[in-house]
Amino acid sequence: MSTGHMMADAPSKDAAAPVKDHSQVRQKEMIADHFDKLARAKEDGRKVVYTFVPGNLTELILSLDLLPVLPEINALQSGMRKKSAGYIAEAEKSGHSEDVCTYVKCDIGMMKSGNIGPTGQKLPEPDLLLLSYTGCFTFLKWFELLREEYHCPVVMLHVPYQPDGVITAAMRTYIVDQLEREVIPALEKLAGKTLDRNELSRRLALSAQAEDDLVAVWESAKHSPSPIDGYFGGVYYIGPIFSAFRGSEGAVDYYRELRQECEARVALNLGPMTPDGQLDDQKYRLVVEGPPNWTSFNDFWHMFSKEKAVVVASTYTRVGGLYDSGPDGKGFRHDPARPLETLADYCLGCYTNLGLPSRIDLLERYVRDYKADGFLINSVKSCNSFSAGQLLILREVERRTGVPGGFIESDLVDPRYFGKANIENRVQSFLQMLQARRGRVLQADVRGSQPSAAL
Amino acid sequence: MKLGLNPQQVLSEALGPSGAMRVTVGIDLGSTTTKSILLDPGGEIVGRGITNSRSNYAVAAAVARQEALTAVRFSMLGRVLDAAGADAVALQQPLSEAFRLQLYLGELDALRDEIAGLLLKPGFAANRAVLAPAADEVLRRMRLSAPALFGPGADRKSDFFRDIAGQAFVKEAEDLASGGQVPFERLVGLYDRAILDVETRIETRDFAELLGIAARQLLPAGPSADWLAAVVAAVGRAPIEEVAFVGTGYGRQTLPFPKETVRSEILCHGRGAHRVFSGTRTVLDIGGQDTKAIQVDSSGVVTSFQMNDRCAAGCGRYLGYIADELNLGLHELGPLALQAKKQTRVNSTCTVFAGAELRERLALGQRREDILAGLHRAIMLRAMSILARSGGIADQFTFTGGVCNNPMAVKVLRELVAQTYGDHITVNTHSSSIYMGALGAAMYALDDHREGRGGILPTFAVAQAA
Ligand code: SF4
């Protein structure tokens, strides 16, 4: 799915004169620089690999001096820049049904409209499509479509589904074999050089460093008030690590700085910046499951921040890697000593590759560990990987934790599925429900089961 | 009648040391109707009011509240009359009807003024000479026939001025037009335009004055009439203090209430339904624009809920479209569907497609009753799915909202509930279930008041516009 998020601009631009964190500025520069490189790729003679966020092999790509493009991120960016409706219409015109994942249609529509990326620069065509398949069948179809358009080779990495939350040696070997026999040779051929395994390990060590800091950022939300919003703010935080920068010095610097900013806020008991300014006074702590809506992202966030609700943990921000709390309760960390095995484990552990029991366990841990007052599911129409079984998740997490759940429906980047009044109604009702259930002294109106004559 | 009874004294006893009737106010602004409930400090319902939601929400809220306040005064009146003996109690009903008649006449005056104003507009220049006297005549006849609408045994199809007056206007206009001199369509067109403005005015009514007129018409001059006049004056003057307010309703962001007084309709409906049927654990509310399935705990606090998404398929409005399509009144659908011999299988709960499917089936010669039965089943199946998503049905189950006044909807729902969840489930419906949201709102207002943070009561000042 979905994922990370490279923001050209932060949401706080709408808020009342917020002071931008320096990490935000840094991220913006990193992204601008990357898109510059992409725009110049052809003239610089650099090769371009399109790939997906979950199960992305960025360290490998970077070690071979290739440039990654992540179509999901372009799609969500198009959503935020209000371009997705037009792109989706374009794709539907060429025959894609209303039921196709809107990321796919948005990407196809963007391509058909000149492939202008989030920074306004034209994106280079792919030289290779690296199809890491983690749990979502749509990924296969998506790159099949791109292959038709670009007439370029596809190399597939098939990641077996993790139904029981256990990575077996066979699963790992299966992936490592594919890496050795197909993926690495294909990438080497494209790069025109052999993979330097030391370089790969060096990058994996950088990944692990950034991952440590990212986990510290997530866990800072255990503090009250939470110094971060782990969902609406969180999608900005995952930008570098879920996209083109994992395993780079830039990402290490970014996450170190981000962590320091969070720690500074914790020390001062400050909350995160939101569309309603800095949220220090937090009335509700929530855990959220499911991706956000991108077309009305700020409106959506505002529905929470104006009610002083902060998200302390979310599963969506784990789609590109589960570093804080894997199925076995321990977080995954890239291990430079076992480069290919560690890439295998990384891919296997992505959130969309996990079965319902693992997802329920994870949500349960988040609700407890982060002392949440409630948890909320945003069920998006596009994404079956995420949405199938969510009601079951809701009931089960409620049953296990005793914490009330809420349910809203929207979509990723199709604005037709964002019913603002309906969603707002549900969000407010949900929050008021939490409030009403929080030990408010209700006056008992105990009567018989017969209707009161007065009504 | 105990003519020696001092009404002031009875009231003082009823009002307690504060000398004022304290009430908390709940208003539920729905897409079709607006409801208000007033509670006394003990949580007893002391007044309720309802009106059509019309184009101006603030007016609708003000009118519903006004109705409820009137009801409070009538309940005070009831206490005094109770204390005065059986013959006094017997006055209550006729007084109330006579009072309604006075209100009606007042609104007819407003209608007359509006129509007169309209006729001055240039658009009517050509027809003014015919229309003006015709409209006067229609209104004159309406006044004459008004008492029959409010007498004993009067059968009003609706209590909303728009409906009662509309029906009377059309009848008199038809009569008049049958002579061939007066254009019927244009006359009714006048009404249609004028009523919009009449409806968006807020009439300040003086309860004591109107009830005084009503009382004088009821009793001949004499000691009884004097005593009643004193009662009316005392009741009309008794202070009512609105101490807290909560508003709720459909599309809450446009509600004319201060933010801190707004409560989610889901919370309000759940709580109201639980108050009326205290065994309630699951509530289904089908209103004009949405369907909500709500689970509540033993105190009536919501534990979980689901509602329809953007699409209003299967809501009250859907039945409205069907009724329009068949040229029937909304309240006729259910009874007609009950006469079905079999249920036609209807595929679409989509409001847009249902009309087409209906026409198609009628064209195929299927019976209207059978198709209607199928349509009812289709929308209730949708409600069942929303219920299932909310966590299913636990005993007891309470069905509320406008659609629960439809007997076929209730019948189908009972069958489906028994099939799906077993026939041990108690299914509650209540003829006044349309008030559940307002009741819940008033209860939340009372909580707020008891916690010393009662919401500010809006003045609805904006309502004078238009
Ligand atoms: S269906 Fe979901 S996981 Fe699959 S491509 Fe679309 S958004 Fe991603």
Side-chain angles (χ1 to χ4, degrees):
Chain A
M1 159 133 236
S2 25
T3 79
H5 177 204
M6 294 158 92
M7 275 306 293
D9 233 318
S12 52
K13 70 171 189 262
D14 295 342
V19 184
K20 237 185 206 163
D21 284 333
H22 189 260
S23 63
Q24 263 173 269
V25 180
R26 184 190 290 274
Q27 179 174 161
K28 196 173 166 178
E29 286 165 6
M30 289 161 75
I31 290 164
D33 180 55
H34 182 66
F35 279 94
D36 280 346
K37 282 189 190 136
L38 287 173
R40 289 196 319 266
K42 296 289 139 145
E43 58 192 84
D44 292 352
R46 296 192 66 178
K47 301 291 186 198
V48 176
V49 177
Y50 281 23
T51 195
F52 293 112
V53 171
N56 72 73
L57 302 172
T58 305
E59 297 89 346
L60 202 52
I61 295 171
L62 297 182
S63 296
L64 283 159
D65 267 336
L66 302 167
L67 287 172
V69 168
L70 296 122
E72 295 146 296
I73 293 179
N74 294 337
L76 72 87
Q77 281 284 354
S78 299
M80 292 189 99
R81 293 182 304 128
K82 313 272 182 223
K83 301 245 185 236
S84 55
Y87 291 159
I88 290 168
E90 191 65 37
E92 287 180 356
K93 237 193 292 173
S94 60
H96 294 282
S97 120
E98 211 182 299
D99 292 324
V100 171
C101 168
T102 53
Y103 270 0
V104 179
K105 285 187 290 189
C106 184
D107 185 43
I108 304 255
M110 180 175 102
M111 184 182 75
K112 290 191 182 300
S113 319
N115 226 11
I116 305 301
T119 54
Q121 292 150 295
K122 190 170 162 55
L123 288 170
E125 298 196 349
D127 298 295
L128 178 77
L129 299 167
L130 172 51
L131 169 57
S132 55
Y133 171 89
T134 46
C136 174
F137 192 70
T138 302
F139 288 141
L140 293 177
K141 294 287 153 196
W142 191 339
F143 274 6
E144 240 174 58
L145 290 163
L146 294 196
R147 184 184 59 188
E148 295 298 300
E149 293 290 333
Y150 294 119
H151 309 289
C152 70
V154 179
V155 61
M156 173 158 164
L157 175 67
H158 178 245
V159 177
Y161 192 60
Q162 237 201 90
D164 315 313
V166 183
I167 295 177
T168 63
M171 291 177 179
R172 189 177 293 123
T173 313
Y174 175 63
I175 297 180
V176 170
D177 275 359
Q178 293 177 72
L179 290 172
E180 291 280 21
R181 290 187 202 161
E182 287 166 42
V183 177
I184 294 175
L187 291 171
E188 286 178 333
K189 185 169 166 226
L190 181 67
K193 61 177 175 189
T194 21
L195 173 69
D196 174 349
R197 305 258 167 166
N198 290 331
E199 171 65 3
L200 177 60
S201 288
R202 185 185 74 84
R203 289 196 176 270
L204 290 168
L206 294 177
S207 297
Q209 240 181 298
E211 287 157 2
D212 279 344
D213 287 334
L214 174 61
V215 169
V217 169
W218 291 148
E219 293 189 339
S220 70
K222 289 182 180 164
H223 185 77
S224 180
S226 171
I228 61 167
D229 185 291
Y231 183 55
F232 298 106
V235 301
Y236 292 90
Y237 303 156
I238 56 181
I241 204 160
F242 282 9
S243 63
F245 304 98
R246 202 179 64 222
S248 72
E249 283 82 359
V252 170
D253 295 344
Y254 170 80
Y255 286 100
R256 188 188 304 118
E257 185 167 36
L258 180 64
R259 177 182 183 163
Q260 285 161 357
E261 288 164 356
C262 290
E263 286 170 354
R265 284 204 293 275
V266 168
L268 297 170
N269 280 325
L270 298 180
M273 196 48 77
T274 72
D276 293 84
Q278 187 164 301
L279 191 63
D280 300 336
D281 170 23
Q282 301 170 355
K283 205 164 149 198
Y284 306 99
R285 293 168 64 85
L286 307 178
V287 166
V288 176
E289 145 78 15
N293 163 275
W294 299 109
T295 48
S296 300
F297 185 83
N298 271 354
D299 278 349
F300 192 31
W301 189 354
H302 175 59
M303 290 177 195
F304 293 84
S305 56
K306 76 172 176 202
E307 303 295 338
K308 303 192 190 310
V310 69
V311 183
V312 287
S314 63
T315 50
Y316 172 73
T317 51
R318 279 41 168 192
V319 286
L322 193 47
Y323 304 114
D324 56 335
S325 187
D328 56 2
K330 292 198 300 275
F332 166 80
R333 209 59 94 247
H334 281 94
D335 177 1
R338 309 155 50 242
L340 300 192
E341 288 82 354
T342 210
L343 285 175
D345 287 359
Y346 160 74
C347 294
L348 283 160
C350 286
Y351 188 70
T352 44
N353 201 47
L354 303 180
L356 289 186
S358 305
R359 288 168 64 188
I360 290 169
D361 289 346
L362 181 65
L363 278 160
E364 182 189 350
R365 279 199 298 278
Y366 283 161
V367 168
R368 291 190 199 285
D369 295 354
Y370 287 81
K371 300 201 170 38
D373 307 305
F375 76 101
L376 183 73
I377 293 179
N378 181 32
S379 186
V380 293
K381 180 184 181 295
S382 272
C383 183
N384 289 332
S385 302
F386 247 106
S387 305
Q390 276 178 329
L391 276 173
L392 189 141
I393 293 181
L394 178 82
R395 295 282 160 259
E396 185 60 16
V397 174
E398 260 181 349
R399 195 186 63 74
R400 291 194 197 173
T401 62
V403 166
F407 195 83
I408 52 181
E409 290 156 284
S410 68
D411 186 46
L412 298 165
V413 291
D414 190 337
R416 292 172 293 185
Y417 294 93
F418 189 82
K420 190 172 175 214
N422 183 288
I423 292 175
E424 180 143 38
N425 191 353
R426 292 201 215 189
V427 169
Q428 288 187 2
S429 297
F430 170 64
L431 295 176
Q432 287 183 19
M433 171 174 98
L434 297 186
Q435 174 69 19
R437 284 167 60 76
R438 180 155 42 200
R440 169 180 168 127
V441 194
L442 287 170
Q443 307 298 334
D445 299 284
V446 187
R447 278 152 214 258
S449 283
Q450 289 310 306
S452 101
L455 185 73
Chain B
M1 230 176 280
K2 297 185 198 145
L3 298 187
L5 185 87
N6 178 355
Q8 198 57 57
Q9 201 175 333
V10 179
L11 283 175
S12 304
E13 277 161 27
L15 297 177
S18 74
M21 178 89 189
R22 291 230 163 100
V23 293
T24 59
V25 184
I27 294 183
D28 175 10
L29 191 38
S31 62
T32 321
T33 53
T34 298
K35 286 77 61 175
S36 175
I37 289 273
L38 306 184
L39 297 179
D40 72 10
E44 289 300 322
I45 297 168
V46 289
R48 67 180 210 192
I50 184 167
T51 187
N52 51 322
S53 287
R54 58 196 84 189
S55 57
N56 185 324
Y57 282 179
V59 177
V63 172
R65 181 176 65 174
Q66 176 85 273
E67 291 277 318
L69 285 168
T70 300
V72 172
R73 296 217 183 263
F74 269 104
S75 75
M76 290 180 186
L77 178 70
R79 291 201 200 191
V80 180
L81 296 180
D82 268 350
D87 47 353
V89 172
L91 287 172
Q92 170 102 4
Q93 186 59 24
L95 262 176
S96 151
E97 286 291 309
F99 177 81
R100 297 231 151 258
L101 173 61
Q102 290 308 314
L103 287 182
Y104 180 74
L105 293 175
E107 300 210 72
L108 276 187
D109 288 344
L111 182 64
R112 186 198 53 216
D113 293 349
E114 266 328 315
I115 290 181
L118 276 176
L119 283 169
L120 290 179
K121 298 203 167 148
F124 288 94
N127 295 71
R128 193 176 297 139
V130 185
L131 282 179
D136 273 352
E137 179 57 15
V138 166
L139 288 162
R140 192 187 64 83
R141 293 187 192 180
M142 284 171 77
R143 286 192 86 83
L144 287 178
S145 57
L149 290 169
F150 296 91
D155 177 27
R156 294 187 297 272
K157 285 231 155 44
S158 160
D159 275 328
F160 303 154
F161 178 72
R162 148 188 286 273
D163 300 336
I164 315 175
Q167 213 179 5
F169 194 100
V170 168
K171 181 178 162 291
E172 303 297 353
E174 252 169 7
D175 232 38
L176 203 66
S178 64
Q181 313 294 319
V182 182
F184 172 74
E185 297 293 336
R186 302 227 54 178
L187 254 184
V188 175
L190 263 183
Y191 174 82
D192 288 343
R193 280 185 58 185
I195 189 70
L196 294 177
D197 291 320
V198 173
E199 276 194 336
T200 42
R201 287 197 204 170
I202 298 180
E203 300 294 338
T204 36
R205 60 171 79 143
D206 184 336
F207 180 85
E209 187 192 322
L210 287 183
L211 193 64
I213 300 172
R216 280 199 295 283
Q217 288 172 349
L218 219 60
L219 294 180
S224 296
D226 294 344
W227 176 79
L228 191 58
V231 170
V232 165
V235 168
R237 274 197 314 267
I240 299 179
E241 196 188 327
E242 296 165 287
V243 291
F245 168 83
V246 162
T248 187
Y250 169 77
R252 279 165 305 103
Q253 42 278 88
T254 56
L255 298 186
F257 312 136
K259 181 178 182 292
E260 62 281 5
T261 65
V262 174
R263 214 56 126 259
S264 151
E265 51 187 333
I266 287 167
L267 268 79
C268 293
H269 279 275
R271 190 140 181 230
H274 179 270
R275 153 79 183 262
V276 176
F277 297 101
S278 64
T280 301
R281 288 299 173 275
T282 308
V283 181
L284 173 68
D285 181 86
I286 309 187
Q289 300 280 4
D290 54 31
T291 300
K292 301 179 275 278
I294 305 166
Q295 308 287 346
V296 297
D297 64 15
S298 58
S299 326
V301 181
V302 176
T303 58
S304 146
F305 65 90
Q306 287 282 336
M307 57 188 288
N308 59 302
D309 56 15
R310 305 166 313 136
C311 175
C315 302
R317 231 4 247 146
Y318 171 85
L319 288 174
Y321 281 119
I322 299 298
D324 289 350
E325 195 70 45
L326 292 174
N327 246 320
L328 292 169
L330 190 53
H331 56 278
E332 294 172 279
L333 287 185
L336 202 57
L338 283 174
Q339 293 164 23
K341 298 230 163 50
K342 61 180 175 52
Q343 274 181 7
T344 301
R345 204 190 143 96
V346 172
N347 298 315
S348 185
T349 48
C350 169
T351 315
V352 180
F353 293 129
E357 184 162 352
L358 181 69
R359 283 190 295 274
E360 203 173 291
R361 292 185 180 281
L362 285 172
L364 287 173
Q366 294 177 346
R367 289 181 72 228
R368 197 165 66 153
E369 292 80 354
D370 299 346
I371 305 172
L372 275 178
L375 286 166
H376 280 79
R377 186 178 162 83
I379 67 166
M380 293 326 268
L381 277 172
R382 224 182 120 88
M384 290 297 287
S385 124
I386 295 176
L387 274 163
R389 289 158 67 92
S390 78
I393 292 181
D395 211 10
Q396 295 173 7
F397 170 57
T398 301
F399 180 29
T400 69
V403 175
C404 94
N405 293 325
N406 176 320
M408 183 63 176
V410 174
K411 175 169 176 280
V412 173
L413 182 66
R414 283 183 190 278
E415 288 164 7
L416 290 172
V417 168
Q419 273 164 30
T420 320
Y421 297 97
D423 45 21
H424 65 284
I425 303 278
T426 306
V427 179
N428 302 312
T429 58
H430 192 294
S431 56
S432 293
S433 84
I434 198 163
Y435 285 99
M436 301 290 191
L439 174 59
M443 291 170 76
Y444 275 111
L446 185 56
D447 283 354
D448 288 353
H449 174 60
R450 285 173 177 169
E451 286 163 23
R453 52 184 185 87
I456 310 150
L457 200 75
T459 57
F460 303 113
V462 289
Q464 293 297 354

